[in-house]
Amino acid sequence: MVIGLVFTSFEIHNGDSVAAIGVAFFVLIVSARLLKRTIGALTDSIPKDIEEKVRALMTTIDRVHSYRHLRVRQSGSKIFVDMYVHIKRTVPFELAHDVTDEVETKISELVRNADILIHMEPYETADESLLDKIRMIVMEESLACHNVRAQKVNSEYYVDFHLE
């Protein structure tokens, strides 16, 4: 509008038309930005660097063996982080809970206003001993055992334990 008045003051008679075209371009640019933000919100898009930061963070947590199905999405002002964390299956439940607490705390420090859901999964690791494997098999059958002993004679194992 002001531009139209300036053009008119210099006796440019098409000044209003030029100003209207300028306003139309301005409206188009603002609308395009709003459309981009709206599409991003509707498709749960997130800033690209957040997922990479969470992936890098997961490699620094000692008691996490690995993780899978990491999903990071945004809805409104909240960012949702969801993943499966593999923890040694020989770790007691209380300690496994401490591991997920540590993961949640570190992600919360990295991503403010995050809603975090961690699924724990027991994982058989390569450093698991034969005695650990026996205890896990017995526990899978909802039983308990004690005094577990295993001896390797030649190429065969002989196992003895008390089953409760």
Side-chain angles (χ1 to χ4, degrees):
M1 186 175 235
V2 174
I3 295 173
L5 290 174
V6 170
F7 283 150
T8 305
S9 70
F10 288 112
E11 295 184 11
I12 300 174
H13 300 293
N14 295 335
D16 282 341
S17 300
V18 172
I21 290 172
V23 169
F25 278 122
F26 177 74
V27 168
L28 283 173
I29 290 169
V30 170
S31 297
R33 287 181 183 167
L34 181 61
L35 178 64
K36 182 180 175 185
R37 283 194 352 225
T38 303
I39 288 173
L42 290 174
T43 57
D44 290 339
S45 67
I46 58 162
K48 294 177 182 171
D49 64 331
I50 292 179
E51 186 172 341
E52 285 93 25
K53 285 180 181 178
V54 171
R55 288 186 187 281
L57 173 74
M58 293 306 295
T59 62
T60 66
I61 301 173
D62 293 331
R63 296 182 292 176
V64 172
H65 185 268
S66 61
Y67 66 93
R68 66 181 179 91
H69 293 303
L70 172 63
R71 288 185 348 151
V72 181
R73 60 187 176 83
Q74 185 170 1
S75 181
S77 65
K78 271 217 177 292
I79 293 178
F80 294 88
V81 179
D82 183 13
M83 78 175 80
Y84 290 83
V85 174
H86 296 144
I87 300 171
K88 284 184 175 185
R89 66 183 186 162
T90 56
V91 172
F93 181 76
E94 294 83 11
L95 295 179
H97 189 300
D98 291 345
V99 173
T100 57
D101 281 346
E102 179 182 357
V103 171
E104 288 178 6
T105 301
K106 288 190 175 187
I107 291 174
S108 293
E109 292 169 357
L110 181 70
V111 182
R112 298 287 178 209
N113 200 24
D115 189 318
I116 304 163
L117 181 61
I118 306 294
H119 306 274
M120 286 187 289
E121 287 189 342
Y123 193 77
E124 181 179 349
T125 58
D127 64 345
E128 210 172 89
S129 71
L130 177 63
L131 300 179
D132 290 332
K133 291 178 191 239
I134 292 168
R135 286 187 184 100
M136 292 297 113
I137 292 169
V138 170
M139 281 178 32
E140 285 175 4
E141 297 298 322
S142 300
L143 299 170
C145 65
H146 61 275
N147 293 354
V148 181
R149 293 180 300 210
Q151 295 178 344
K152 186 174 184 180
V153 178
N154 297 328
S155 62
E156 296 179 343
Y157 284 99
Y158 292 91
V159 178
D160 178 38
F161 57 90
H162 297 170
L163 188 61
E164 297 177 18

